[in-house]
Amino acid sequence: MAMNEWKFDFGCGEAVSGYMKVTANTKYDIAVGFGFMDITRVTARDRKEPGALKRDLCIPADTSFRVDVPDGNYTVSLLMGDWILPACTTLKASPGRLLLRNRTVSAGQFIRETVAVYVQGGHMNLTFSGSAPRVNALEITPAPHAITLFLAGDSTVTDQPEDGFPYAGWGQMLPQLLKHDVVVANHAVSGRSSKSFIDEGRLDVILNEMKANDFLFIQFGHNDQKPDEERATEPSTTYKKYLQQYIDGARNKGAFPVLVTSVQRRYFEPNGQLQNTHGPYLEAVRELSSEQTVPLIDLAEMSKSLFEELGAEEAKSIFMWGAPGEFAHFPGGIEDNTHFQEQGAIRIAGLISKGIREAAIWPLTMFLR
């Protein structure tokens, strides 16, 4: 096996030639560099049917398989199926980045899915869940030439921590909507404005990783409205000037900037129309897009249409609105009109996908699922 390739055969018995065997008892060991984080939630089965990699499998019931790999972009190919039972698998890459959602496979059938994973911290954590998860084989290959879609933004975009589930940002849900040719590198951080993100050196981190033909999606505004000196910008002047730094930085690297207007909050007028809580910040982004000939995804307008179509009550299903006892990590309940629960973040990521298509952002349009 090449040093830059990892191939795993899941199940029972001997490994197929060229693969490392992973059984239900393969607990992660730093000395080995791979394994399940919780083997109490893993079962292995040998169906004793033909097909070297198809014969046996593991059933990882809501647990993670960790592989120590260098930081970078990777393609991950999974073989999933079961000779005698239907399978339904959801796959995420920590922290909570959705790669496959309820991928169903009929009994006796097998599929191979290839996804892209962005790794930071020296390890890849793949979390399996779903009503009937299955994994037969897994191959991990570096993808240094893949297009990287960098995200710069705030809490509505960021990878929310897994211990806050179902709290999620739309950037966390975006990978499932893109083919493995594009790797989503979500650098968005809660509480940041266009100014504080730069002042903290976060744009520099992106630009140091960025290569020609990558993309940078830029969505700020929520925290630029805040009055504190660290974050505050003025729509027609400093806000535009800070956004211009993202545009110039990407273009200097031979990459492509894309402006995204702020996603709307859930605040309605008595007549059922959504309040514009972002004021002139939205128009400032639209103006800058026109002035600098930068593609625009008008997420503010698209989310306004979605929320008004749903109505004030149904729109709660997008946001972190939960009754006491409804969300395990928020036992006392929560009423949040800004941040999304996972199902809502999936809907917003769908609007981003729609925006890519409508703005004809090439070649991303070719890589939409």
Side-chain angles (χ1 to χ4, degrees), residues 1 75 102 110 190:
M1 185 184 307
T75 54
N102 294 330
F110 294 83
S190 295

Side-chain angles (χ1 to χ4, degrees), residues 322-339:
E326 185 172 2
F327 299 155
H329 294 111
F330 301 87
I334 184 171
E335 296 181 0
D336 185 333
N337 291 311
T338 298
H339 302 101

Side-chain angles (χ1 to χ4, degrees), residues 18 26 37 43 64 79-80 93 98 100 131 147 172 186 207 222 226 253 257 289 297 299 302 305 316 333 341 349:
T26 304
M37 301 306 292
T43 305
S64 298
L79 179 68
M80 299 178 290
L98 185 60
L100 298 172
S131 58
I147 294 171
Q172 217 165 358
N186 193 355
L207 296 178
H222 279 84
K226 302 295 173 63
K253 299 289 288 192
S289 166
I297 296 177
L299 185 58
M302 289 190 291
S305 297
K316 292 178 182 178
Q341 55 177 292

Side-chain angles (χ1 to χ4, degrees), residues 235-296:
S236 62
T237 56
T238 51
Y239 184 46
K240 281 187 174 183
K241 288 179 180 178
Y242 278 106
L243 292 179
Q244 187 69 51
Q245 293 185 49
Y246 296 83
I247 294 168
D248 293 342
R251 285 177 166 169
N252 288 339
K253 299 289 288 192
F256 307 109
V258 176
L259 289 166
V260 183
T261 52
S262 305
V263 62
Q264 297 282 3
R265 301 181 177 99
R266 183 194 158 273
Y267 290 102
F268 283 81
E269 302 285 2
N271 64 2
Q273 290 189 326
L274 203 71
Q275 294 181 23
N276 174 14
T277 63
H278 294 99
Y281 285 90
L282 302 181
E283 194 55 39
V285 178
R286 294 171 184 137
E287 290 173 0
L288 187 61
S289 166
S290 177
E291 292 163 3
Q292 296 297 318
T293 320
V294 175
L296 175 71

Side-chain angles (χ1 to χ4, degrees), residues 36-356:
F36 286 109
M37 301 306 292
D38 183 358
I39 60 173
T40 68
R41 304 190 64 82
V42 185
T43 305
R45 291 287 185 265
D46 185 353
R47 300 308 191 195
K48 297 182 171 60
E49 295 288 346
L53 291 173
K54 298 178 181 178
R55 169 175 172 158
D56 55 350
L57 54 93
C58 279
I59 305 170
D62 199 17
T63 191
S64 298
F65 181 71
R66 173 171 169 165
V67 186
D68 293 341
V69 298
D71 289 0
N73 293 341
Y74 292 86
T75 54
V76 177
S77 177
L78 298 99
L79 179 68
M80 299 178 290
D82 190 326
W83 282 109
I84 65 174
L85 293 169
C88 180
T89 306
T90 291
L91 180 70
K92 294 180 179 179
S94 293
R97 297 166 180 164
L98 185 60
L99 304 174
L100 298 172
R101 183 184 179 210
N102 294 330
R103 188 64 171 90
T104 57
V105 188
S106 300
Q109 301 296 313
F110 294 83
I111 61 165
R112 186 172 287 277
E113 288 280 4
T114 303
V115 295
V117 178
Y118 176 68
V119 172
Q120 290 179 299
H123 61 266
M124 181 186 299
N125 258 35
L126 299 173
T127 302
F128 294 85
S129 62
S131 58
R134 300 288 189 274
V135 57
N136 307 79
L138 173 66
E139 293 100 33
I140 300 172
T141 307
H145 303 298
I147 294 171
T148 305
L149 197 173
F150 291 93
L151 303 180
D154 51 39
S155 57
T156 63
V157 186
T158 195
D159 294 336
Q160 296 293 353
E162 291 166 303
D163 61 4
F165 183 84
Y167 201 179
W170 64 253
Q172 217 165 358
M173 303 294 106
L174 190 60
Q176 64 147 345
L177 300 176
L178 292 160
K179 297 177 183 177
H180 66 271
D181 309 82
V182 179
V183 182
V184 177
N186 193 355
H187 285 255
V189 181
S190 295
R192 273 50 179 192
S193 70
S194 63
K195 177 182 186 295
S196 64
F197 194 92
I198 288 175
D199 290 346
E200 293 172 4
R202 298 181 185 279
L203 177 58
D204 290 336
V205 171
I206 291 174
L207 296 178
N208 286 337
E209 291 186 26
M210 186 174 283
K211 63 185 183 302
N213 298 317
D214 284 342
F215 284 83
L216 175 59
F217 280 25
I218 309 146
Q219 187 219 275
F220 290 100
H222 279 84
N223 299 303
D224 288 77
Q225 298 177 297
K226 302 295 173 63
D228 55 281
E229 184 179 348
E230 290 77 18
R231 295 183 290 181
T233 63
E234 196 281 323
S236 62
T237 56
T238 51
Y239 184 46
K240 281 187 174 183
K241 288 179 180 178
Y242 278 106
L243 292 179
Q244 187 69 51
Q245 293 185 49
Y246 296 83
I247 294 168
D248 293 342
R251 285 177 166 169
N252 288 339
K253 299 289 288 192
F256 307 109
V258 176
L259 289 166
V260 183
T261 52
S262 305
V263 62
Q264 297 282 3
R265 301 181 177 99
R266 183 194 158 273
Y267 290 102
F268 283 81
E269 302 285 2
N271 64 2
Q273 290 189 326
L274 203 71
Q275 294 181 23
N276 174 14
T277 63
H278 294 99
Y281 285 90
L282 302 181
E283 194 55 39
V285 178
R286 294 171 184 137
E287 290 173 0
L288 187 61
S289 166
S290 177
E291 292 163 3
Q292 296 297 318
T293 320
V294 175
L296 175 71
I297 296 177
D298 200 342
L299 185 58
E301 188 60 33
M302 289 190 291
S303 58
K304 179 178 186 292
S305 297
L306 172 62
F307 301 161
E308 288 181 348
E309 179 183 347
L310 292 173
E313 188 62 31
E314 187 62 27
K316 292 178 182 178
S317 66
I318 301 289
F319 293 87
M320 282 293 291
W321 269 73
E326 185 172 2
F327 299 155
H329 294 111
F330 301 87
I334 184 171
E335 296 181 0
D336 185 333
N337 291 311
T338 298
H339 302 101
F340 311 122
Q341 55 177 292
E342 185 174 271
Q343 295 302 312
I346 289 171
R347 296 285 297 272
I348 302 303
L351 296 181
I352 294 292
S353 176
K354 177 184 177 184
I356 291 171

